[in-house]
Amino acid sequence: MTPNFYHSKRIGSARTLAQLLFTGLFMLFYLSMSAQPPSNNRCINAISLSCGDTEVGTTTDATRINQPGFCVEPMGSAPGVWYVIEGNGDIVVASTCSEITNFDTKIGVFAGNCANLECVTGNDDRPCGPVETASRVFFQTEVGVNYYLYVTGFGEETGDFELSINCITPPENDDVCAATPVSCDETVMGTTRGATRAGNPGYCREDLSTAPGVWYVFSGNGDFVVASTCNPNTDFDTQLGVFEGVCEELECVTGNDDRPCGSAEDASRVFFQSEIGVDYYIYVTGFDNERGDFGLRINCIPPPDNDNVCDATPLAFDELTEFSNVAATVEPGEPSPGPGSGPNDSCLSDDGWCEEEVVVDNSVWFTFISPVECVNITVLGQD
């Protein structure tokens, strides 16, 4: 009986070994068949993309390793994957606006390297076509700088997506020193799409730094100039700034945000008196980061015939004469009566002007021969 017992024990041991071998093989098979994270789950394995590329990807089975955190939008709630673009100086538009995208995406853009990333921009929902939960980002690239794109989901959503990369070359007149010349009675079509903030002039009656813009230059001819974006082709809320000098050193002349003209409530108009030989740089930009297409109109109004004292218009007594000082200039040495001597407020006096308005501007001249000692002159209309 002892040998049989011993034999039975050996058979039991053999079965146990077989079971262990089977279990081990099953576990190896299970591990080999389990899902693996996408190859670009880590920043160091980011997939390289270029202008015009379209890449189909997924965040399914991705992990939260290398999550970048906050960049305009929170990026840490769902797993994501990485892509990288080398900057070439263009504006890059990256989006998940595709029917392939089947979840609510987010995109974050970072500059630098995987060990030291700095947020550039980010987006959660920027609807494009029928896709309401797609994402789009716009960013200006610098030559030689790597930009890392992190595609993730809202909440904990994951899924498949299509990432498209489009590049927009800045317009030639993005640089103030490459400003497009404009002339009197001319309308030019332009765009701020793809423009940069590289030559942003800052403040000039309005804050002109909120959106990219483009430049035009007008050579002063002594006329009164009206520049406007009152054109049917203008499709965004524009702002205008006018500067004088040379392109490397400009001084503010005037600016405008909204000055409605016709049906264009968000159009802009500026008025300025030009001087012969002076270059005037006109900056077209948008309000609050808006950009788009526009039509820029330049109208010139020559000075009135009686702008100079030697060309004074003769006046007849007891007759109302219509006139305008639009586009009128100031001659060197034109006299000013100075502030009046009225009580408290010089504007109440009869012997001078308001003390804050003693500077002559936009003056026109008249002449008359008086048949009497005391003459009353009345001006109707504007102040």
Side-chain angles (χ1 to χ4, degrees):
M1 294 297 292
T2 300
N4 290 338
F5 175 77
Y6 177 74
H7 180 70
S8 174
K9 188 175 181 179
R10 290 186 63 186
I11 292 173
S13 298
R15 286 177 178 175
T16 301
L17 179 62
Q19 289 174 348
L20 288 172
L21 288 172
F22 177 79
T23 301
L25 289 172
F26 177 79
M27 290 182 66
L28 287 172
F29 176 77
Y30 175 80
L31 290 173
S32 66
M33 292 297 292
S34 64
Q36 297 295 314
S39 61
N40 57 336
N41 192 193
R42 292 174 175 267
C43 178
I44 58 174
N45 296 325
I47 296 174
S48 180
L49 298 177
S50 302
C51 295
D53 284 351
T54 299
E55 182 80 8
V56 176
T58 185
T59 62
T60 302
D61 300 317
T63 69
R64 290 182 171 83
I65 193 168
N66 285 160
Q67 274 189 326
F70 190 87
C71 183
V72 181
E73 298 286 345
M75 298 288 164
S77 61
V81 290
W82 290 91
Y83 298 87
V84 62
I85 302 169
E86 183 177 351
N88 62 357
D90 285 355
I91 293 281
V92 172
V93 183
S95 79
T96 57
C97 302
S98 169
E99 294 180 355
I100 294 175
T101 303
N102 60 10
F103 70 109
D104 189 346
T105 60
K106 291 182 178 182
I107 299 177
V109 181
F110 304 83
N113 56 66
C114 290
N116 185 22
L117 294 175
E118 295 184 4
C119 172
V120 174
T121 188
N123 176 249
D124 178 7
D125 294 333
R126 184 174 275 127
C128 34
V131 186
E132 295 184 357
T133 57
S135 307
R136 277 188 301 166
V137 287
F138 306 81
F139 58 99
Q140 173 67 48
T141 66
E142 296 182 21
V143 177
V145 175
N146 284 330
Y147 295 88
Y148 290 85
L149 278 64
Y150 186 68
V151 181
T152 183
F154 174 79
E156 297 183 356
E157 292 193 34
T158 61
D160 302 326
F161 61 88
E162 183 176 84
L163 179 65
S164 63
I165 305 298
N166 293 307
C167 298
I168 306 173
T169 302
E172 291 184 6
N173 58 342
D174 182 56
D175 182 359
V176 61
C177 292
T180 301
V182 289
S183 303
C184 292
D185 304 320
E186 180 181 11
T187 299
V188 293
M189 301 300 161
T191 185
T192 63
R193 301 181 195 276
T196 72
R197 291 182 173 87
N200 197 292
Y203 189 87
C204 183
R205 298 285 181 92
E206 301 288 345
D207 184 1
L208 304 177
S209 65
T210 61
V214 290
W215 290 92
Y216 297 85
V217 60
F218 174 83
S219 182
N221 60 358
D223 285 357
F224 186 76
V225 179
V226 182
S228 78
T229 56
C230 303
N231 187 283
N233 291 304
T234 302
D235 61 7
F236 69 110
D237 189 346
T238 60
Q239 294 190 119
L240 291 175
V242 180
F243 302 81
E244 65 180 12
V246 294
C247 65
E248 299 88 353
E249 189 174 349
L250 298 175
E251 294 183 5
C252 171
V253 175
T254 188
N256 176 249
D257 178 10
D258 294 332
R259 185 172 276 126
C261 35
S263 59
E265 294 184 357
D266 295 328
S268 308
R269 280 188 298 165
V270 287
F271 310 85
F272 61 97
Q273 178 64 54
S274 71
E275 297 181 23
I276 296 174
V278 175
D279 285 334
Y280 295 88
Y281 290 86
I282 303 171
Y283 186 64
V284 184
T285 183
F287 173 77
D288 194 22
N289 203 33
E290 290 197 31
R291 63 198 77 196
D293 303 324
F294 61 87
L296 178 65
R297 175 68 180 177
I298 306 296
N299 289 320
C300 297
I301 306 172
D305 292 337
N306 59 339
D307 184 45
N308 297 328
V309 63
C310 293
D311 298 316
T313 298
L315 293 179
F317 276 84
D318 298 324
E319 290 185 9
L320 182 63
T321 305
E322 293 185 359
F323 70 94
S324 172
N325 67 342
V326 174
T329 63
V330 179
E331 291 182 89
E334 285 194 8
S336 166
S341 58
N344 300 323
D345 186 348
S346 64
C347 290
L348 300 177
S349 67
D350 294 325
D351 60 347
W353 292 348
C354 299
E355 59 184 9
E356 71 272 13
E357 296 179 350
V358 295
V359 178
V360 177
D361 53 10
N362 305 108
S363 62
V364 288
W365 290 89
F366 300 87
T367 183
F368 64 91
I369 299 174
S370 176
V372 294
E373 292 183 359
C374 183
V375 175
N376 179 51
I377 301 176
T378 302
V379 178
L380 303 177
Q382 299 296 326
D383 184 359

